[in-house]
Amino acid sequence: MNTRAALLGLFVVLTIIFGATTAYESTLRTATSTMVTTVSTIPSAYDQVATAYENHLLNLVAINASNFLGGYEENATVQWKGFSGGCDGNYTGLSEFGPLFGTLTSDQQYVIITNETQSIRPAGDDWAVNSTIYLVTNSTGSKSIVSPFAGVSEMTIAAQDSYVKFDGSWMITTETWNFLHFDNSIVERPGATTCQG
């Protein structure tokens, strides 16, 4: 009988110890899980800039001019260079480069971006996004229009964007599109090429 009572007592003690250890580990896991969840819900500047850049390109593909241009700071500077269909130049402010992008997207049946690659890194208080974009456009407008983007155009662009935070949003302050390749299906167009939408 004494052996039974001793074994029963030992079983009760071990059960209490095991239960207490399990409750402690459960509390520890809950606290650790809560801490990790809290940390993971705080978006970093990297994530915010990556999202802003992704939305910028999605608005271009959606041919949503107002949202696309909304990604730029009001006095931003845009430079196009290389084989841009005659649109090389520096453009400052929405009033100058708004028509430039309007020329790219006006009367488009579609704008497609494929094989886009990017790197994002801090640059002081700013963030820099360097990317390579393969862009295809197809204008449904009159083939006699003087835009360099009439018909089907295929472009490879090396882009550099500088983002600065304004009123809680990351905005582009400078952007360079270096057109590495530009191919247009219309060989001859009447009139002079213009880049002013």
Side-chain angles (χ1 to χ4, degrees):
M1 196 63 120
N2 281 340
T3 306
R4 265 188 174 176
L7 286 176
L8 183 59
L10 180 61
F11 177 75
V12 169
V13 168
L14 289 175
T15 302
I16 292 171
I17 291 172
F18 178 74
T21 303
T22 303
Y24 174 74
E25 287 176 354
S26 175
T27 303
L28 186 60
R29 271 191 296 247
T30 302
T32 304
S33 175
T34 302
M35 185 170 58
V36 170
T37 301
T38 302
V39 170
S40 68
T41 59
I42 300 173
S44 68
Y46 176 92
D47 293 334
Q48 293 172 2
V49 170
T51 299
Y53 187 70
E54 179 182 2
N55 288 336
H56 185 62
L57 294 181
L58 288 173
N59 284 320
L60 177 62
V61 169
I63 313 176
N64 188 331
S66 61
N67 285 349
F68 177 77
L69 294 175
Y72 293 93
E73 189 269 327
E74 187 176 327
N75 294 313
T77 302
V78 170
Q79 179 186 31
W80 279 13
K81 62 183 183 178
F83 305 101
S84 65
C87 296
D88 291 5
N90 292 313
Y91 305 87
T92 302
L94 294 173
S95 61
E96 285 190 15
F97 62 76
L100 176 70
F101 285 110
T103 301
L104 175 65
T105 59
S106 65
D107 297 321
Q108 293 297 339
Q109 181 178 357
Y110 60 77
V111 174
I112 299 173
I113 295 177
T114 60
N115 299 327
E116 189 268 337
T117 59
Q118 63 184 248
S119 67
I120 302 172
R121 61 178 173 72
D125 291 336
D126 302 351
W127 280 77
V129 180
N130 294 319
S131 60
T132 302
I133 304 165
Y134 179 69
L135 182 68
V136 178
T137 63
N138 181 19
S139 175
T140 58
S142 167
K143 301 308 181 200
S144 64
I145 65 173
V146 294
S147 168
F149 305 105
V152 176
S153 299
E154 298 179 16
M155 298 152 263
T156 303
I157 302 164
Q160 295 86 39
D161 291 88
S162 179
Y163 278 84
V164 174
K165 198 165 196 175
F166 288 99
D167 297 327
S169 298
W170 289 95
M171 311 282 288
I172 298 169
T173 57
T174 59
E175 178 177 74
T176 300
W177 277 15
N178 184 8
F179 289 75
L180 305 175
H181 170 77
F182 182 91
D183 185 24
N184 185 271
S185 63
I186 300 175
V187 178
E188 293 183 22
R189 293 179 296 279
T193 298
T194 180
C195 294
Q196 298 302 314

